[in-house]
Amino acid sequence: LCLYAPGTGAPFNEEESMVIIRLSRAGSKKRPFYNMLVCDSRARRNGRFIERVGFYNPVIAEGPQRLTFNAERIEYWQQKGANLSDTIARILKDAKKAVAAQ
């Protein structure tokens, strides 16, 4: 299987692909639930992913059921060059503030 870079016809190198950590929506209508996924930036929002590193449930007010993530794995992927989506960056920043306040 040989992949080609979009619009160029040149072979695509998998190591050069952009990896991003973002949310994938799950749950039912009016009851959102989000998985934190590490995936290729070209993949669809609810499409193929590399690894699930946590979840976020905005319906719950407080507690461990609202936000759970594996900080070690997120740090690992960031060291490998993965970018955080804007929403994930905000959620993690708020979580760090909450931990520091305690």
Side-chain angles (χ1 to χ4, degrees):
L1 177 66
C2 184
L3 300 174
Y4 291 94
T8 63
F12 179 74
N13 188 353
E14 197 65 37
E15 286 94 29
E16 294 176 5
S17 68
M18 183 118 142
V19 176
I20 189 166
I21 301 173
R22 65 179 174 203
L23 296 175
S24 173
R25 186 183 162 118
S28 59
K29 183 177 178 182
K30 308 270 187 188
R31 305 262 316 155
F33 179 87
Y34 298 95
N35 289 306
M36 289 184 180
L37 302 178
V38 177
C39 58
D40 189 334
S41 64
R42 297 167 298 156
R44 295 179 180 167
R45 180 191 72 184
N46 293 337
R48 195 166 54 182
F49 63 92
I50 300 168
E51 181 179 355
R52 180 178 181 254
V53 292
F55 66 85
Y56 172 61
N57 189 350
V59 177
I60 296 175
E62 290 297 324
Q65 293 84 17
R66 180 177 173 89
L67 176 64
T68 302
F69 60 93
N70 188 338
E72 293 172 1
R73 293 303 292 171
I74 291 174
E75 185 178 325
Y76 166 81
W77 282 107
Q78 283 184 303
Q79 288 174 354
K80 292 287 187 178
N83 294 326
L84 299 176
S85 71
D86 295 338
T87 307
I88 290 286
R90 179 182 49 81
I91 290 170
L92 295 179
K93 182 180 168 186
D94 292 344
K96 286 179 184 177
K97 276 186 192 177
V99 169
Q102 291 179 353

